[in-house]
Amino acid sequence: GVGGDDFIRKPYNSAVLLARIARILKTTSNDTLTVRGLTLDLPGMRAVFGGVAGELTKNEVRILRCLMQKDICTREELIEDLWTNGMYIDGNTLYVNIGRLREKLGQIGATDFIRTVRGVGYRL
């Protein structure tokens, strides 16, 4: 159910508030995602497949996270996700990032994981 995780009385100390928020985020956010044997280690910024790990950039982590959480990620969603995180990217930049991510996944043995959905976007 939806409810409170914590309670702080007023007046509150901002350091205490921030520490509690950080703790709650740590316990509620999923640190790893796994799809078909491919694991995304979010804090470690790496992909692991068959015991082999590959380092990923922030953008590659964001793209892979979207793909692992949804059936299909549209190009618009991916561009928006990367753009809202403080950098402007266009379709070509996304294409380059997808290409690099495919290459890195291939190096750890996770070949053909990212599929292009023509005119829509990408899926795992």
Side-chain angles (χ1 to χ4, degrees):
V2 177
D5 287 307
D6 208 334
F7 177 79
I8 299 175
R9 279 198 177 83
K10 285 183 180 177
Y12 60 87
N13 175 322
S14 58
V16 170
L17 176 64
L18 291 172
R20 297 225 185 142
I21 290 170
R23 193 197 67 220
I24 290 167
L25 287 175
K26 209 176 254 174
T27 57
T28 56
S29 71
N30 198 350
D31 284 346
T32 61
L33 294 166
T34 304
V35 175
R36 297 200 320 268
L38 175 66
T39 299
L40 174 59
D41 168 13
L42 289 160
M45 289 183 59
R46 60 198 192 121
V48 184
F49 186 75
V52 184
E55 301 293 313
L56 301 175
T57 65
K58 276 186 202 156
N59 284 353
E60 291 161 352
V61 167
R62 288 185 184 123
I63 291 166
L64 193 52
R65 184 178 61 203
C66 180
L67 292 169
M68 291 177 107
Q69 288 175 330
K70 302 176 84 167
D71 188 37
I72 290 180
C73 294
T74 66
R75 280 193 297 273
E76 290 72 26
E77 277 176 307
L78 290 166
I79 288 171
E80 199 174 286
D81 183 39
L82 298 177
W83 192 73
T84 55
N85 283 292
M87 61 170 290
Y88 174 75
I89 76 153
D90 57 21
N92 193 47
T93 311
L94 176 62
Y95 183 75
V96 169
N97 275 277
I98 293 273
R100 280 202 206 115
L101 181 55
R102 278 186 171 134
E103 203 174 290
K104 286 183 180 181
L105 292 179
Q107 287 168 357
I108 62 169
T111 50
D112 296 327
F113 258 78
I114 300 173
R115 306 270 173 169
T116 301
V117 182
R118 278 193 168 208
V120 182
Y122 302 92
R123 64 187 303 241
L124 278 188

